Each structure stands twice: as structure tokens, then as C-alpha cells.
Amino acid sequence: MTPRHPLTPGRAGTASAVLALVLASAAAGSPVSAAGGEGGDVPQGTVVYRTTAQFTTAGRVRDLLLHPDSKKLYAGSDDLPETTETDESGLRVLEPADGKVRSTVSQAPGPTGALGRRAVRQLVAPLPGDGAVFVYPLRGIGTAKDGDAAAAGAWVPGGPVTDAAPGPTPSTVLVAQGSVLSEVDIATATVRRSLTLEGGERFAYDRTRGTVWFTDLGNRRLHRVDVTTFQVTSSVELPPVGDGFAGFTEVDPETGAVWVGLDTLVVVHDASGKRLGTVKGGGGADMPCAAGFDAGTHEAFVVWQDTGDTSQPGSDGDGSLTVHHTRDLTQAAEPAVLPGNHAQSGSAAVAVQPGGATVFVSDPAAGRITRLERATSPRIVRGPEDRTVTAGAEVTLTAQAQGTPPPTVAWQVSTDEGRTWQAVPGATSATYTFRAAAADNGRRYRAEFGNGAGVSRTGPATLTVTAADTTSGGGGTTPTPGGTASPTRGTAGETGGSGGSADTAGASAGGSAGGASGATVGGTGTIPTGGALASTGTAVASVAGGALVLTTAGWVLVRRGRTRRTG
């Protein structure tokens, strides 16, 4: 149910995206780092409400209601002052997605029953299936649904209706006529019972607990009325704030807490009347004019309007939407600016889609409805780790982030140890794959995620690129294709031919060798990688301080101690 302002009152699904990113190479495994990174313009996971559409199809909107069954957006409208020649009054039925008008019910019975063009000041309750119960000036209680040619209605006896709410039964409504609270039959406007309070003109009904909270601003009191007995059971003091502007009185259906908009703050009491605290608007000088609640997210949505008087301190002409956790009153989202939304032409209204994903706010002065959608700045779930690869190896970068709407990704590289970053051309998909070059050594890479709520970046990963491995298992060098290796004969302890090179672990084939035979292995080719001779393909190994024995079955290594010569 929308919040109710004297003749202006005023309900939010989530989408989330995950982009996966792993830093891996062809030469090694693919570890990834834990969650980390940083927020860019806002902290990671920041919730904001951003304007996605504005409708100017409903005249001067006084109240809003999202029908729970038909999902249609109902707007109670009046004529804009500058367009009195245009018929803008009545009950407007809109498409929530684009504001397209489905139908307008502008005719309703007057005090004598005659039909006439009527403005709709307050939407009281949805009808089963479709339609709404509403209040029209000065004392009319009407009902209509999408497509009706005219509304049904009756006039309540007594003074002008200043506030209304759904009644204890489906066939009744509760109305305030100044300080008089009554239960009234919807079809006939017959008063079933009434109660006169000390003062006030606005209230909220807690159906779950059978309680009415009636605001008596003149005496700074909030009266608790038991609906069963229709008697006041307790009263609580309201703080003396400002000039006594009363924006709204609303009850959180989930907790039973009553929220009262007073001057530039909202005072909150629990279901028993105990003061829980206060809520302030973003600008400090704006006035709270409407509130809606969402049980799924446990959040309250408050619309604040500028006074519209630029001579007053803090007046900038703009209003705002704030979102609060109902359990502790803390901020649940960044305040959303409502440009030009001021109270000079009436108070705003709010309607919150179940789940809190979409909010509609009216602006009577501008004759528009603003559609706002919840967005969450990207939150980094996983980022890349530092890696070491060889030149020529293929590298794949990946990371993971969540956000609403799904964030886009762009890869960035730094060549100066992270002091500056440049976009990687074309790297705008979930993974970025490239072949590492020697010039990439020391470069840092990160992924930047962005959506309408903000920008977040993964922590940087440093890429270390080493030279390609050209050594053999035994330390030999890669042979020239077609090279040969041939044994030469020499004396014990002498150096043989120009054989292959040796690493630090062993002598080269054809190098110094001892033993009885004094044989050494040499040749014109180098030792092939893996220890194979280029001329024969036969296996060979480096030997230090030993002898090589050649057999017809292949090269067989026999390790011996060096024989010491005498004489």
C-alpha cells in the first residue's frame, strides 16, 4: 500500500551477473586469487537507485499504487495548473515498463449522484484481481478498474476526507475527517462507527496488529487506537521539530513500527510505541513526504522534497529518495537525487515493486513519474595471481565479479609497475588470451568491471616471462639438424676431438676421460637435446670423471674411478 499524505500518499528482485576470469598458462596450472580488488568511484557492492525512465502521461500525480495481482501501475491524478484546458484528472492506469496509458477513469458521482469529472487525490487499497479504492474531493469514496467508463462512488457525510486506509473488513475503509476517525462502508459511504480525537488529520492502520496510529501534530502526540474497541489505548510524545510540517504517517506491515514524517526528519516508534530513532534526508533541509515498505528486503523507501523556496537555507530545488533498513534504520542504499522535485504543487508519492528492484516516485510540480531501478556496483569475487611463464606460452586472464545489472569488463595493462594503466585493445570479454612475449616481462594486468552503479577493479597480477627453455635434460645444447658425432681415439687422460659442450654437472662427450682404454668420444656435431646423438639417434649421457664404453647395442655408460698413473 502506498504512503498517505493529506491528499498525497504512496511500493522493490534482483539481477546479478558473474563473469569468470582465470590466469593460466599452457606450461603450468591455473591458480586464481581470492576475492579482493578495489572500488573505483564507489566502494564495491554499493547499492544505488538510478533513473531509468520518466513518464509524463498521468497529469499531476497525487498518489501511486502497484496492483499486486494485475501488476498495473495506478495513478491518482489532478490537472496541472498550466494545462487546465486538458482533461488530466481521474484514475490513470499505466504500463509500469513505459508509462503507456491503458485507460483513464475520469467520471465519478458527485454528492447528488450525478457523474462529473473528478480528480483522484488518494489511492486507498487494491481491489481483488484489478482496480482500486480511492478518495476524490471532497468526500468521495470511489472504486474503478482498468477499462471502466466511470467509477462507482458515494460521499461520506461530514467534513472533507483528510486521510484514508483499508478497513478492518474488505467492504470498509477507515477515513479521517480532521480529528474524526471513522469506519465507512465502501459502497454506500455509511459510517459504521467513529471516534473523535484531540486533534490531527492523518493516520496509519496496522492490520496485522489491529492498531491505528493517529498523528496529532498540534499537540505533538501519536495516539494508538485499538480497532476492535475503537478506543485510544495509549499515546506517545512526538519531538518538537521545526515548524510542525507533517509529511506522512505510515506503518511497516512487517514489524508494526510507525514512521512519522515531521519537518526535516522521520521519527520511528516500534509497535508498542517505544521510540526507535530518527531518519534524516540527504540534503538536511528537505521534507519527508512519502514512505513505502518492502517486506522481502526489510527496507523502507522515503521520498524527500525540497521546499521549493530558494530563499530558505539549504533549498536547491531537488528532492531525493532514501532507503533504510527497517530493523536498525541504517542506510541501505546511496540517496538518489530527484531533480526539481519540490513541494510547491503538492506532495510526492511512492510505489515500491515487491522485492525492491523498482521504485516509482511522483513529481506533482513537473507532472511526471520517475521510474528508478536498483543497481549494485561490481563486487570482485576472484582476481588473478602473479604468474611466471616462458616466452611463447599462451596466457589466459580471467576474473570474477558480481553486480546488478551485469557488469561489463575491460582489461587493462600497466608497464610502469602499476603507476598508470591503459586499456588492452579489444579485451572486453570474460577472458583475455594472448601469447606471452619477452617484452611482456614485468607487466601488470587487471580487469575493470563497470555498470550503472559504479566501477570496481581486480587486484593487479604481475606476469614474469622467462626465456624459452632450450637446454637438454643433461645440459646439452640443441643440435644443428644433420650434425654428426664420431668417436676418436686418444691416450688416457688426454682431450679427445671437438665433441659437444658440457654443463656444470658433467663432462662433454669427447671431453677428458680416464680409464684403462683411454677412449674418448668426439665428433663434429653437438649433443642433441635429450641426449641423443645426431648421427645415430642413440642415447648418450654426460659423464664426469668416468669412462664411456660403446657397445653394438647402443651407448652403455660404465662409471669407474680414475686410474692413477705411476712412474
Side-chain angles (χ1 to χ4, degrees):
M1 177 57 207
T2 60
R4 296 176 309 283
H5 191 274
L7 300 173
T8 353
R11 245 176 164 181
T14 357
S16 74
V18 176
L19 295 174
L21 307 166
V22 171
L23 184 56
S25 73
S30 310
V32 293
S33 70
E38 60 182 16
D41 47 353
V42 296
Q44 294 187 51
T46 298
V47 179
V48 301
Y49 279 83
R50 53 193 188 121
T51 297
T52 57
Q54 290 188 324
F55 313 147
T56 56
T57 51
R60 183 164 61 154
V61 179
R62 295 302 191 94
D63 202 3
L64 293 170
L65 182 148
L66 270 171
H67 198 284
D69 302 325
S70 70
K71 313 304 180 187
K72 300 170 185 175
L73 179 62
Y74 278 77
S77 299
D78 201 348
D79 290 330
L80 287 164
E82 62 272 21
T83 58
T84 53
E85 71 282 357
T86 305
D87 184 3
E88 295 172 319
S89 296
L91 183 68
R92 298 290 184 106
V93 187
L94 310 178
E95 292 288 356
D98 57 13
K100 180 181 178 180
V101 179
R102 296 177 58 94
S103 64
T104 300
V105 183
S106 59
Q107 299 287 309
T112 64
L115 290 176
R117 190 164 68 90
R118 314 290 178 187
V120 173
R121 298 292 180 83
Q122 185 177 346
L123 296 170
V124 180
L127 291 172
D130 190 30
V133 181
F134 57 90
V135 172
Y136 59 96
L138 293 169
R139 297 178 279 115
I141 303 295
T143 59
K145 63 180 184 300
D146 183 16
D148 284 350
W155 283 54
V156 182
V161 173
T162 56
D163 205 353
T169 69
S171 63
T172 64
V173 293
L174 294 171
V175 300
Q177 294 167 281
S179 60
V180 179
L181 175 67
S182 303
E183 182 182 3
V184 176
D185 185 78
I186 293 174
T188 65
T190 301
V191 176
R192 296 190 177 183
R193 52 184 177 161
S194 64
L195 169 68
T196 301
L197 294 102
E198 299 177 53
E201 57 183 16
R202 270 162 243 173
F203 68 95
Y205 175 41
D206 181 1
R207 181 187 293 275
T208 301
R209 297 157 189 83
T211 300
V212 166
W213 291 97
F214 205 95
T215 305
D216 179 0
L217 188 61
N219 295 302
R220 290 293 179 177
R221 297 173 72 80
L222 188 63
H223 303 292
R224 189 176 190 271
V225 178
D226 181 84
V227 172
T228 302
T229 63
F230 232 60
Q231 296 294 321
V232 175
T233 58
S234 63
S235 297
V236 297
E237 298 294 329
L238 292 173
V241 181
D243 299 325
F245 169 79
F248 62 83
T249 302
E250 283 296 325
V251 166
D252 175 10
E254 182 187 15
T255 65
V258 57
W259 293 52
V260 181
L262 293 174
D263 298 297
T264 59
L265 55 78
V266 179
V267 182
V268 185
H269 294 78
D270 68 12
S272 68
K274 178 184 177 182
R275 176 84 58 83
L276 294 177
T278 59
V279 169
K280 294 184 178 180
D286 292 345
M287 303 178 297
C289 295
F293 300 91
D294 181 67
T297 58
H298 315 295
E299 291 173 349
F301 298 78
V302 181
V303 177
W304 306 75
Q305 285 182 291
D306 188 80
T307 63
D309 183 356
T310 56
S311 66
Q312 294 190 13
S315 176
D316 58 5
D318 297 334
S320 65
L321 172 73
T322 61
V323 187
H324 312 270
H325 297 292
T326 55
R327 304 299 175 86
D328 58 11
L329 311 185
T330 57
Q331 181 177 290
E334 292 294 307
V337 177
L338 301 172
N341 199 323
H342 59 77
Q344 290 295 307
S345 296
S347 295
V350 62
V352 183
Q353 189 179 77
T358 304
V359 181
F360 299 89
V361 178
S362 71
D363 183 348
R368 68 185 172 212
I369 299 169
T370 298
R371 175 189 171 108
L372 301 102
E373 294 184 6
R374 183 173 58 210
T376 305
S377 68
R379 181 175 63 84
I380 304 301
V381 176
R382 232 174 10 177
E385 284 186 340
D386 296 344
R387 291 301 305 274
T388 300
V389 298
T390 57
E394 187 175 83
V395 177
T396 298
L397 302 178
T398 323
Q400 193 173 14
Q402 296 175 333
T404 306
T408 58
V409 61
W411 287 94
Q412 298 177 336
V413 62
S414 174
T415 59
D416 55 7
E417 299 182 333
R419 289 188 291 274
T420 61
W421 293 87
Q422 298 80 39
V424 178
T428 57
S429 62
T431 59
Y432 165 46
T433 300
F434 62 98
R435 195 166 296 280
D440 296 328
N441 182 51
R443 291 187 174 183
R444 298 183 182 186
Y445 297 87
R446 70 183 183 187
E448 181 178 86
F449 295 89
N451 59 14
V455 171
S456 298
R457 304 178 184 93
T458 66
T462 300
L463 183 63
T464 301
V465 182
T466 61
D469 185 8
T470 59
T471 61
S472 70
T477 59
T478 304
T480 302
T484 60
S486 60
T488 59
R489 183 74 58 184
T491 59
E494 294 180 343
T495 303
S498 59
S501 61
D503 62 16
T504 57
S508 66
S512 300
S517 65
T520 63
V521 179
T524 59
T526 57
I527 297 176
T529 301
L533 289 176
S535 60
T536 64
T538 310
V540 68
S542 298
V543 177
L548 293 175
V549 178
L550 307 180
T551 71
T552 58
W555 298 93
V556 177
L557 303 181
V558 179
R559 183 173 182 82
R560 297 177 179 174
R562 178 180 295 272
T563 303
R564 182 181 182 87
R565 288 190 175 190
T566 59

